[in-house]
Amino acid sequence: MTTVSQNQVVVETEDKQDNLLRLPYFVSAEQLSADDVLHLLQRAQYFKNGGEVPALSRPIFCTNMFFENSTRTHTSFEVAERRLGLTVIPFDPSHSSVNKGENLYDTELTMASLGIELSVIRHPENAYYNEIIHPKEGQHLQMGLVNAGDGSGQHPSQSMLDMMTIYNEFCHFDGLKIMIVGDLTNSRVARSNMEILNTLGAEVYFSGPEYWYDAEEFSKYGTYVKNIDDEIPELDVLMLLRVQHERHNGTEAKTEQLFDAKDYNAAYGLNQRRYDMLKDDAIIMHPGPINRGVEWDGDLVEAPKSRYAVQMHNGVFVRMAMIEAVLRGRKLGGLE
């Protein structure tokens, strides 16, 4: 049984059928209750501990449709899919009919017609998934979907691997002081994590240039800190974000003109001085890719308090649990 107490969240590591998460799709952190998160982490830990993967009664074809560049997420999903015994069908958007004007719904309709039952999609448009999971009248698309990141909206799999990393370290969330630092406005990681961390009882803080902080959106989830040095000695988790230069266009173009890498590093980057200010048991996280020397001084990326590589390792098992939840939710391959 998974329990949530006032002071601690307990995630059991044994396999229990009644605790398995079942979802028709997995697109947003907002879908999940605290119990859902805990059951997912329990299952991911089970896989990480060498637990047996469920046997499929028939082949299940899936595809990874990444319309933005990715190393960690794309590869991690494919490893997870292959560990679960799925048959992965390659998809290259640069050589697809998208370049002939085909919209995402019609591309998914094509995939479904060819026998693919699960898509993992990363797309530059926020909430791209709505047209797939909420078909219009007369549309009959049936497709399992896992969101691998939508624009600056959500990144649920990164959020779940972050939660797993934090839980593995502290065995609870309640009262942990966690600061998210950087390009907040453009970060789907920040949005997913602030919602889940609030649900799980953590104390969330934000920092970074004020032109990347929207008080109306973020203040209900945590407290903005102008000088990160004021809070660093009290933190349990320092979560750094990549500066997303590729999203600084339109109304945000002026932020590129204001940005200076050395100034940013001095004000918000993780350098040796700030590393030494952290508590001995504090951890540092980053969703990657890292701009070395900007968000994080390069010689500290693999320092003892860093969990960057651990996060990536945990990502495989969390994504196995996420995919399995959709397979079970759609009763694919004999799973229920």
Side-chain angles (χ1 to χ4, degrees):
M1 177 183 229
T2 304
T3 60
V4 185
S5 67
Q6 184 175 3
N7 297 314
Q8 185 172 18
V9 174
V10 179
V11 178
E12 298 174 352
T13 58
E14 69 267 27
D15 178 32
K16 289 193 175 181
Q17 188 76 12
D18 60 342
N19 280 349
L20 297 179
L21 193 60
R22 295 167 177 85
L23 298 170
Y25 47 79
F26 204 136
V27 297
S28 171
E30 295 174 336
Q31 283 182 259
L32 306 179
S33 67
D35 277 345
D36 290 338
V37 174
L38 302 179
H39 291 164
L40 188 81
L41 296 186
Q42 171 186 318
R43 189 61 168 167
Q45 191 63 50
Y46 170 77
F47 288 138
K48 186 176 181 178
N49 291 346
E52 186 176 357
V53 300
L56 301 176
S57 62
R58 62 175 176 81
I60 299 296
F61 295 95
C62 68
T63 190
N64 300 308
M65 302 168 65
F66 278 64
F67 295 90
E68 290 186 325
N69 295 334
S70 173
T71 299
R72 276 151 296 282
T73 304
H74 194 167
T75 306
S76 180
F77 265 114
E78 184 159 343
V79 172
E81 290 154 0
R82 293 184 183 278
R83 281 178 175 263
L84 288 171
L86 305 186
T87 302
V88 183
I89 305 301
F91 176 84
D92 179 359
S94 67
H95 292 89
S96 75
S97 292
V98 170
N99 291 317
K100 297 180 180 180
E102 184 173 72
N103 64 31
L104 183 59
Y105 179 90
D106 286 342
T107 299
E108 282 287 82
L109 185 61
T110 299
M111 295 296 176
S113 300
L114 297 174
I116 290 171
E117 297 176 275
L118 176 71
S119 288
V120 175
I121 300 179
R122 170 170 289 183
H123 199 278
E125 180 182 337
N126 285 20
Y128 71 84
Y129 44 77
N130 282 332
E131 65 177 321
I132 298 169
I133 65 176
H134 301 303
K136 299 175 184 177
E137 185 177 355
Q139 294 181 330
H140 307 289
L141 175 63
Q142 292 294 320
M143 176 69 77
L145 175 63
V146 179
N147 180 19
D150 60 296
S152 59
Q154 291 278 330
H155 197 345
S157 66
Q158 180 68 45
S159 184
M160 291 301 100
L161 72 87
D162 287 346
M163 297 309 106
M164 184 176 181
T165 303
I166 293 168
Y167 180 79
N168 284 172
E169 199 72 33
F170 299 100
C171 300
H172 71 99
F173 296 93
D174 195 56
L176 290 179
K177 292 187 176 183
I178 300 174
M179 180 180 282
I180 306 174
V181 180
D183 188 353
L184 296 161
T185 301
N186 294 291
S187 177
R188 52 197 173 209
V189 175
R191 287 181 173 85
S192 293
N193 280 353
M194 69 187 184
E195 294 171 6
I196 291 294
L197 288 169
N198 270 256
T199 298
L200 295 172
E203 295 179 22
V204 180
Y205 299 85
F206 301 105
S207 191
E210 291 186 72
Y211 49 74
W212 288 333
Y213 177 75
D214 182 349
E216 184 176 351
E217 178 179 13
F218 291 97
S219 61
K220 59 186 174 182
Y221 294 103
T223 303
Y224 178 74
V225 177
K226 189 169 185 177
N227 185 347
I228 68 172
D229 292 345
D230 293 341
E231 294 294 336
I232 277 187
E234 305 300 319
L235 296 179
D236 298 296
V237 180
L238 176 61
M239 189 176 293
L240 307 170
L241 301 174
R242 181 176 67 88
V243 177
Q244 300 189 48
H245 297 286
E246 73 277 11
R247 299 194 192 279
H248 300 163
N249 47 42
T251 58
E252 286 198 45
K254 62 182 180 181
T255 67
E256 277 297 293
Q257 299 171 1
L258 295 170
F259 182 81
D260 179 88
K262 290 184 178 179
D263 289 346
Y264 181 92
N265 180 265
Y268 305 106
L270 195 282
N271 51 34
Q272 188 66 55
R273 179 180 65 82
R274 291 192 175 113
Y275 182 93
D276 293 338
M277 289 171 65
L278 289 164
K279 295 188 294 187
D280 290 343
D281 61 349
I283 62 172
I284 307 158
M285 301 170 65
H286 193 301
I290 297 170
N291 293 310
R292 289 178 181 245
V294 182
E295 305 108 31
W296 199 338
D297 285 6
D299 55 350
L300 295 174
V301 170
E302 296 178 77
K305 296 175 188 176
S306 169
R307 295 298 179 270
Y308 179 57
V310 174
Q311 288 174 265
M312 292 186 285
H313 182 64
N314 286 340
V316 172
F317 307 107
V318 159
R319 290 175 174 119
M320 288 175 70
M322 292 173 67
I323 292 167
E324 184 199 31
V326 176
L327 295 178
R328 292 188 183 279
R330 303 184 74 83
K331 298 184 178 180
L332 298 177
L335 303 185
E336 294 186 11

